[in-house]
Amino acid sequence: MDVRLAPLRPWDDFFPGTDRFSRPDFKDISKWNNRVVNNLLYYQTNYLALAAVVISLVGFLSPLNMVLGATVVVLVFLGFVWSSHNKDIIRKFKKRFPTLFVLSIMLASYFVISLFGGVMVFVFGITFPLLLMFIHASLRLRNMKNKVENKMEEIGLKKTPMGIVIEALEQHEEGISKIADYISKVKD
């Protein structure tokens, strides 16, 4: 299946005002995680545009450090994902604590970049856009269109770049296995 970029959502849908934002339920981590994952999938092109603006500004000020920082983050991410597929203890940690897994990727990236002296570029050029995405995805309430689009992504009718990243972090497996179980029961 070919990978397609999700459409750019209108500004009034992406940032409509305070009526569509709400503090997440910190007591129900799985519900909060579900909100974040689904908003990341639905608004992925908007988040990409936001990150591109911030990365461009920082990259304009320090291009070499920005390229170095982005390369380190990508390599560390790929290393963590590879190790989570090959080491059972890391796989269990990733499934049980997905937020800590992502934070550990960021911390490892920070330490590697600090060896090269590009810490401020890392903080403003890479971490700040990710923080903005996480805050928006945590606070933004979902609408019906969001839910329908995400179900299509979950069952594999369409594939997007954010879906690939979330799949690499194994955040979709439970939903997919529930749907697959349901389909097999219907067939029987």
Side-chain angles (χ1 to χ4, degrees):
M1 177 167 283
D2 59 344
V3 178
R4 295 185 180 169
L5 196 61
L8 187 66
R9 307 297 175 192
W11 177 255
D12 60 335
D13 182 27
F14 182 65
F15 201 72
T18 58
D19 60 326
R20 295 299 303 156
F21 287 91
S22 174
R23 197 179 94 231
D25 183 9
F26 297 111
K27 295 177 184 173
D28 190 356
I29 300 296
S30 66
K31 189 174 180 181
W32 182 18
N33 185 51
N34 185 43
R35 180 193 283 189
V36 169
V37 167
N38 286 310
N39 280 330
L40 286 173
L41 285 169
Y42 186 69
Y43 295 111
Q44 64 185 284
T45 306
N46 295 65
Y47 293 142
L48 181 64
L50 176 70
V53 168
V54 174
I55 289 169
S56 296
L57 289 173
V58 174
F60 178 73
L61 298 173
S62 183
L64 182 62
N65 283 338
M66 191 65 215
V67 170
L68 174 69
T71 303
V72 167
V73 171
V74 167
L75 291 176
V76 169
F77 175 77
L78 292 175
F80 269 72
V81 169
W82 177 84
S83 65
S84 71
H85 287 299
N86 294 314
K87 301 289 182 184
D88 196 40
I89 191 165
I90 297 173
R91 181 181 306 120
K92 288 178 184 176
F93 176 76
K94 179 172 70 170
K95 281 194 91 51
R96 192 158 182 216
F97 306 106
T99 304
L100 287 177
F101 183 75
V102 172
L103 286 175
S104 61
I105 291 171
M106 297 307 293
L107 283 173
S109 299
Y110 171 82
F111 288 122
V112 171
I113 291 172
S114 69
L115 296 174
F116 297 106
V119 173
M120 291 311 290
V121 170
F122 174 78
V123 170
F124 288 109
I126 297 168
T127 307
F128 186 63
L130 292 176
L131 179 65
L132 290 176
M133 287 180 217
F134 179 73
I135 290 170
H136 183 272
S138 292
L139 297 176
R140 178 69 168 95
L141 295 173
R142 296 172 55 211
N143 57 24
M144 187 56 72
K145 190 173 179 183
N146 183 323
K147 292 176 184 179
V148 170
E149 289 283 326
N150 290 329
K151 287 300 174 197
M152 289 174 61
E153 175 90 23
E154 278 182 24
I155 61 175
L157 294 177
K158 60 190 244 182
K159 200 78 152 152
T160 60
M162 185 66 75
I164 293 170
V165 171
I166 289 173
E167 190 175 298
L169 294 172
E170 296 181 23
Q171 293 301 301
H172 264 320
E173 285 185 3
E174 294 168 7
I176 291 172
S177 64
K178 286 178 187 176
I179 292 169
D181 290 342
Y182 178 74
I183 291 172
S184 66
K185 286 179 185 177
V186 170
K187 286 182 180 178
D188 293 338

